C-alpha cells in the first residue's frame, strides 16, 4: 500500500516553517491571542489549539485579524476531538466546519486527526482542500509506541501535506523505534514524529535530528499540550534545536526522576558557551537494560548516571577509574570506540571544594549518611588522607562502609563534644520537600566548616544553622557544578566554563524558589551568597585503568 513517491513540504510553506511550532492554548480567545501576540515575535510558527475554547468558531474573526497583523506568522489550526486526546466535544462535521473557516481566515495549515479523516466523506475532505490550506493528518496513541509504518499506511490514501505520528514512549527504547521509522522514511521531508511521555522527552530533540519536519513546544512551562512537551524557550535556548543536525553529538543524564534535573540546563549551557556541537538530554528510566539498549542503538557519546543506576551500571563497563571500583558506583560514562568507560566525578565534587579551603590530609571529617553520596565522600576523603567519622540512621550500613574504607563510626551523643574540621551532610534531609527532622542540633556544630551536599534549596536548614553560628559553609551547588564540570571535561576534553554553569544553576534555583517558596524559616536571615570561586582544572579525557 505504501507509495515510493517521495513527498515533500509544500513549496510555499518551506521557507515559513521552523524546527519548532509553539502550541497556543487558552480558555478564552482573548487569553489565546494575548499569548500568541507575546510569542509570535520570537517564534512565528504557531499552532492554535481551538479545541481549548468553548466556542472555537467565535475566535476565527480574531484569528483573521491576528494573521493580518502578523504577516510573518505561520499558523496551524487544530480542533482535536475529546476521543483523540483533544478537548473539542463537538461532532466530526463541526470539527471540519471549524477547520474550513480557520483556513478561510488565513491559517496556512490545519490538523485533521486520522480518525476524523477516515470518518469524513471524500467530498468533505475535497471541500477542505479547496480552501488551499495545507493539511496535516495526525495520529496520537496515548498508550504505546506500536507499528508506526501501519499508521503511516493508513494516512497515505489522504495524501496529506504533512503526516504527524505521535505515539507514547513507555521506555527509552520506544524512541529508537520512532527514530528508526524516521530514518526509513528519509525520502519524505514532511513527516512529524514525536514520542509523548517522560521517557519520550529525548524524541522532541532527536526526532528533528532523525528527519522529523519539525517538533512541537509549549508556550511556557506549565502550558504543555502533550505529556513530555518542552517549553519553546528551553528547546531553542537550552537545547539549541535550530542547530541540532546529524553531526551533533549526543549526551544525557539517565535515571529517575529526571524531568526536574538541572543537569540538562547546566551542560547544554556549557556546550553553548564552549561552542561544542553537542546536545545533552534527559533520559528518564529506572531500567538499566532500557538505557543500555538506547546507548547501543543511537550514538550516545557520554552519560551522567544518577539514581537508581549508579551501582548497577558498573557491571557493564569496559573499565572504571579506581575510585569508582572502590565505591562500587559510577556517575559518568564515556563511550570511546563503542566501549563504555566509567568515572566517578561525585568524589571530585566533594574533595574539590574542600581542597580550595583547607588541606584534607589529616583533617577530622564527619559524614552524615552512608548512601551513594556518602560513599563517594568517605572513599574520596580517605583516599586523600582524612580521618573520617560516619553517622547514619542505619548503624549497620555505617559500620560496613567504615570497615570497607578505613573510616570510623560515631554515635550521635558523641558529636557535640568531638571537634571536627568539617561536617558533611550526605543525606536528603533539608532537601526541598523533605520533612525529616534535622540529624544535628545547633550545639552539635562543633566544626570549622559545614558542607551540605543537598543543593535545593540553596540555603538548607543545616547551612542556615551554621551561618547563624558564623561557621563557614559550602553549598551543595558547589558540588553539583564541580561534578558536572569534571564530566564536561571528560566528555569534551575542554576546560569547563564553571562560572557560567554555576550562574545558570543558581538562577534556575532562585526562579524555582520564587515560583514555589518554601515556608519562612523561624529566624530572619539574608540570602546565602554563593561565590563562584572555581578555577578550571581541565584535562584531556584519559582512559581509566583496567577494572580491578
Ligand atoms: P541515598 O543513596 O539514598 O542515601 C541516603 C542516605 O541518607 C542514607 O544513608 C540514608 O540512611 C540517609 N537518610 C535518608 N533519609 C533519612 C532520614 N529521614 N533520616 C536520617 N537519615 C536518612 O542517597 P544519595 O545518593 O547518597 O544522596 C543523598 C543526598 O545527597 C541527596 O538527597 C542529594 O540531595 C545529595 N546529593 C547531592 C549531589 C550534588 O551534586 N550536590 C550529588 C549527589 C547527592 P539509611 O542508610 O538509614 O537509609
Amino acid at each position: 500500500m505504501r507509495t515510493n513517491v517521495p513527498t515533500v513540504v509544500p513549496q510555499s510553506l518551506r521557507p515559513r516553517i521552523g524546527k519548532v511550532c509553539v502550541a497556543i492554548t487558552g480558555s478564552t480567545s482573548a487569553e489565546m491571542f494575548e499569548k500568541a501576540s507575546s510569542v509570535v515575535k520570537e517564534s512565528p510558527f504557531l499552532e492554535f489549539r481551538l479545541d481549548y475554547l468553548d466556542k472555537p468558531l467565535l475566535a476565527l474573526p480574531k484569528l483573521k485579524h491576528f494573521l493580518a497583523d502578523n504577516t510573518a506568522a505561520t499558523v496551524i489550526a487544530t480542533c482535536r476531538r475529546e476521543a483523540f486526546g483533544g478537548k473539542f466535544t463537538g461532532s466530526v462535521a463541526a470539527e471540519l466546519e471549524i477547520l474550513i473557516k480557520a483556513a478561510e481566515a488565513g491559517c496556512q495549515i490545519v490538523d485533521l486527526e486520522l480518525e476524523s479523516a477516515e470518518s469524513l466523506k471524500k467530498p468533505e475532505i475535497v471541500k477542505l482542500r479547496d480552501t488551499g490550506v495545507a493539511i496535516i493528518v495526525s495520529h496520537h496513541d496515548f498508550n504505546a509506541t506500536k507499528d508506526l509504518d501501519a499508521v503511516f499506511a493508513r494516512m497515505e490514501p489522504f495524501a496529506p501535506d504533512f503526516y504527524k505520528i505521535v505515539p507514547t514512549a513507555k521506555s527509552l527504547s520506544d524512541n529508537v523505534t520512532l527514530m528508526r521509522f524516521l530514518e526509513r522514511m528519509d525520502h519524505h521531508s514532511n513527516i512529524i514524529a514525536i514520542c509523548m511521555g517522560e521517557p519520550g522527552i529525548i524524541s522532541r530533540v532527536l526526532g528533528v535530528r532523525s528527519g522529523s519536519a519539525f517538533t512541537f513546544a509549549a508556550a511556557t512551562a506549565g502550558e504543555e499540550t502533550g505529556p513530555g512537551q518542552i517549553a519553546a524557550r528551553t528547546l531553542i535556548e537550552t537545547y539549541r534545536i535550530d542547530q541540532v543536525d546529524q553531526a551533533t553529538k549526543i549526551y544525557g543524564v539517565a535515571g529517575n526522576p529526571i524531568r526536574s534535573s538541572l543537569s540538562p540546563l547546566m551542560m547544554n549551557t556549557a556546550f553553548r558557551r564552549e561552542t561544542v556541537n553537542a546536545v545533552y538530554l534527559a533520559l528518564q528510566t529506572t531500567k538499566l537494560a532500557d538505557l543500555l539498549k538506547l546507548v547501543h542503538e543511537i550514538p550516545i557519546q557520554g552519560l551522567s548516571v544518577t539514581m537508581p543506576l549508579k551501582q548497577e551500571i558498573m557491571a557493564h563497563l569496559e573499565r572504571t577509574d579506581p575510585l569508582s571500583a572502590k565505591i562500587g558506583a559510577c556517575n559518568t560514562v564515556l563511550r570511546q570506540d563503542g566501549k563504555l568507560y566509567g568515572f566517578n566525578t561525585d568524589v571530585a565534587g566533594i574533595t574539590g571544594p574542600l581542597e580550595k579551603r583547607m588541606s584534607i590530609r589529616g583533617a577530622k571529617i564527619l559524614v552524615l549518611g552512608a548512601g551513594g553520596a556518602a560513599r563517594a565522600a568517605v572513599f574520596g576523603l580517605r583516599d586523600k588522607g582524612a580521618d573520617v567519622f560516619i553517622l547514619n540512621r542505619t548503624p549497620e550500613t555505617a559500620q560496613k562502609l567504615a570497615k570497607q574504607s578505613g573510616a570510623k563510626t560515631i554515635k550521635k551523643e558523641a558529636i557535640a563534644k568531638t571537634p571536627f574540621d568539617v561536617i558533611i551532610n550526605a543525606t536528603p534531609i533539608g532537601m526541598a520537600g523533605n520533612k525529616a527532622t534535622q540529624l544535628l542540633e545547633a550545639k552539635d556544630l562543633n566544626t570549622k566548616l559545614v558542607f551540605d551536599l543537598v543543593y535545593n534549596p540553596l540555603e538548607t536548614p543545616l547551612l542556615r544553622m551554621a551561618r547563624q553560628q558564623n561557621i563557614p559553609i559550602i553549598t551543595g551547588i558547589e558540588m553539583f557544578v564541580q561534578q558536572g564540570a569534571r564530566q564536561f571535561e571528560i566528555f569534551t576534553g575542554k576546560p569547563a566554563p564553571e562560572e557560567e554553569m554555576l550562574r545558570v544553576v543558581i538562577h534556575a534555583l532562585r526562579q524555582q524558589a520564587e515560583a514555589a517558596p518554601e515556608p519562612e524559616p523561624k529566624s530572619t536571615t539574608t540570602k546565602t551568597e554563593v561565590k563562584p570561586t572555581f578555577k578550571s582544572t581541565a584535562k584531556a579525557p584519559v582512559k581509566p585503568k583496567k577494572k580491578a
Side-chain angles (χ1 to χ4, degrees):
M1 178 68 188
R2 189 161 355 124
T3 159
N4 287 321
V5 182
T7 50
V8 292
V9 176
Q11 198 76 17
S12 60
L13 284 174
R14 197 175 298 161
R16 302 183 67 102
I17 288 190
K19 283 191 179 169
V20 179
C21 178
V22 184
I24 305 289
T25 62
S27 52
T28 63
S29 58
E31 190 192 330
M32 194 174 256
F33 288 101
E34 198 178 307
K35 243 180 243 172
S37 301
S38 72
V39 169
V40 71
K41 302 264 170 333
E42 274 182 37
S43 303
F45 188 17
L46 307 175
E47 178 191 36
F48 278 82
R49 288 295 303 263
L50 299 172
D51 51 313
Y52 278 62
L53 301 171
D54 283 344
K55 294 187 174 141
L57 277 176
L58 297 185
L60 298 181
K62 278 193 184 150
L63 183 56
K64 193 171 179 177
H65 278 124
F66 176 84
L67 285 160
D69 289 349
N70 297 281
T71 49
T74 303
V75 168
I76 302 173
T78 300
C79 193
R80 202 174 317 295
R81 286 182 293 146
E82 239 179 0
F84 308 108
K87 292 187 185 290
F88 187 57
T89 50
S91 65
V92 64
E95 178 190 355
L96 181 69
E97 186 194 357
I98 291 162
L99 294 184
I100 289 173
K101 295 223 161 104
E104 288 166 354
C107 282
Q108 297 89 342
I109 309 171
V110 292
D111 179 311
L112 184 67
E113 195 74 18
L114 175 60
E115 285 78 0
S116 296
E118 285 173 336
S119 68
L120 288 167
K121 295 197 175 71
K122 203 172 169 196
E124 291 173 310
I125 296 183
V126 169
K127 202 172 161 197
L128 178 60
R129 277 216 175 282
D130 283 350
T131 61
V133 79
I135 299 177
I136 299 176
V137 170
S138 65
H139 182 266
H140 298 76
D141 182 336
F142 286 87
N143 297 312
T145 300
K146 294 187 198 138
D147 185 348
L148 305 181
D149 296 85
V151 175
F152 184 82
R154 273 174 68 194
M155 291 177 167
E156 275 193 303
F158 301 99
D161 298 285
F162 295 94
Y163 298 75
K164 181 180 174 194
I165 300 181
V166 188
T168 293
K170 292 287 188 194
S171 64
L172 291 174
S173 323
D174 285 337
N175 296 283
V176 177
T177 305
L178 185 103
M179 282 181 250
R180 293 284 172 269
F181 166 73
L182 279 166
E183 285 156 18
R184 277 198 301 285
M185 295 285 169
D186 68 351
H187 51 301
H188 296 274
S189 61
N190 57 350
I191 297 179
I192 307 142
I194 307 157
C195 282
M196 291 184 285
E198 298 283 301
I201 289 174
I202 62 172
S203 73
R204 297 189 177 268
V205 178
L206 295 186
V208 169
R209 188 179 182 273
S210 298
S212 180
F214 55 88
T215 191
F216 285 83
T220 62
E223 293 184 278
E224 297 79 11
T225 56
Q229 202 174 62
I230 300 174
R233 185 162 283 184
T234 307
L235 262 184
I236 294 164
E237 289 179 7
T238 304
Y239 291 97
R240 293 179 297 157
I241 191 149
D242 288 328
Q243 289 157 44
V244 170
D245 58 24
Q246 287 292 326
T248 304
K249 290 189 172 163
I250 307 167
Y251 297 88
V253 53
N256 180 51
I258 221 69
R259 187 160 172 92
S260 55
S261 168
L262 291 174
S263 293
L265 172 70
M266 178 171 73
M267 298 300 254
N268 284 312
T269 300
F271 286 146
R272 186 181 60 216
R273 181 68 178 227
E274 295 304 310
T275 53
V276 179
N277 184 8
V279 66
Y280 183 98
L281 304 164
L283 311 173
Q284 158 85 39
T285 188
T286 52
K287 297 194 178 79
L288 186 67
D290 186 31
L291 175 66
L292 292 175
K293 181 161 185 222
L294 184 81
V295 170
H296 289 123
E297 293 273 347
I298 67 169
I300 288 185
Q301 307 289 319
L303 288 173
S304 308
V305 183
T306 179
M307 294 304 290
L309 306 171
K310 280 184 183 182
Q311 287 92 16
E312 212 185 332
I313 199 160
M314 292 287 289
H316 301 268
L317 304 174
E318 184 71 13
R319 294 182 208 170
T320 65
D321 61 359
L323 271 174
S324 297
K326 270 193 201 168
I327 297 164
C330 126
N331 75 330
T332 310
V333 173
L334 179 70
R335 176 150 134 177
Q336 274 184 351
D337 309 324
K339 293 183 176 141
L340 304 180
Y341 298 92
F343 301 81
N344 194 312
T345 67
D346 280 339
V347 172
I350 296 163
T351 56
L354 287 174
E355 279 174 325
K356 284 188 187 123
R357 293 159 169 96
M358 58 183 277
S359 165
I360 292 179
R361 180 158 299 283
K364 208 164 159 183
I365 301 181
L366 171 64
V367 175
L368 305 174
R375 288 182 72 82
V378 171
F379 279 105
L381 294 168
R382 287 290 304 134
D383 198 52
K384 290 193 177 279
D387 188 13
V388 179
F389 294 75
I390 306 167
L391 174 70
N392 190 44
R393 176 176 61 180
T394 310
E396 297 76 29
T397 323
Q399 280 150 13
K400 194 170 160 203
L401 175 56
K403 200 169 165 202
Q404 288 170 338
S405 61
K408 305 176 187 95
T409 57
I410 187 166
K411 293 213 162 70
K412 162 85 170 62
E413 310 78 76
I415 287 175
K417 41 186 191 291
T418 313
F420 289 103
D421 292 298
V422 190
I423 294 179
I424 300 177
N425 174 43
T427 75
I429 299 172
M431 200 163 76
N434 185 307
K435 302 278 177 254
T437 318
Q438 286 299 310
L439 277 180
L440 303 185
E441 300 155 55
K443 69 172 172 53
D444 296 320
L445 297 189
N446 187 1
T447 179
K448 295 179 188 153
L449 184 61
V450 173
F451 188 176
D452 199 338
L453 305 191
V454 171
Y455 68 82
N456 187 10
L458 278 169
E459 184 176 73
T460 62
L462 177 68
L463 293 180
R464 192 179 308 125
M465 200 157 73
R467 203 165 39 76
Q468 282 165 354
Q469 297 184 47
N470 293 320
I471 301 170
I473 59 162
I474 308 178
T475 72
I477 279 294
E478 204 167 323
M479 173 185 177
F480 181 69
V481 173
Q482 284 286 311
Q483 60 81 32
R486 302 290 82 75
Q487 289 184 331
F488 179 91
E489 290 164 2
I490 289 168
F491 292 157
T492 65
K494 287 181 169 221
E498 290 179 10
E499 291 195 10
E500 182 66 0
M501 292 163 84
L502 181 68
R503 189 191 64 75
V504 291
V505 172
I506 290 179
H507 181 69
L509 284 172
R510 289 208 170 124
Q511 276 187 326
Q512 276 177 21
E514 276 164 29
E518 285 277 301
E520 277 294 306
K522 280 186 192 122
S523 58
T524 49
T525 56
T526 52
K527 273 191 179 164
T528 309
E529 274 298 307
V530 187
K531 289 188 187 130
T533 55
F534 311 137
K535 261 196 181 152
S536 181
T537 51
K539 291 186 188 80
V542 192
K543 278 191 184 174
K545 292 199 188 106
K546 196 99 186 130
K547 194 163 78 179

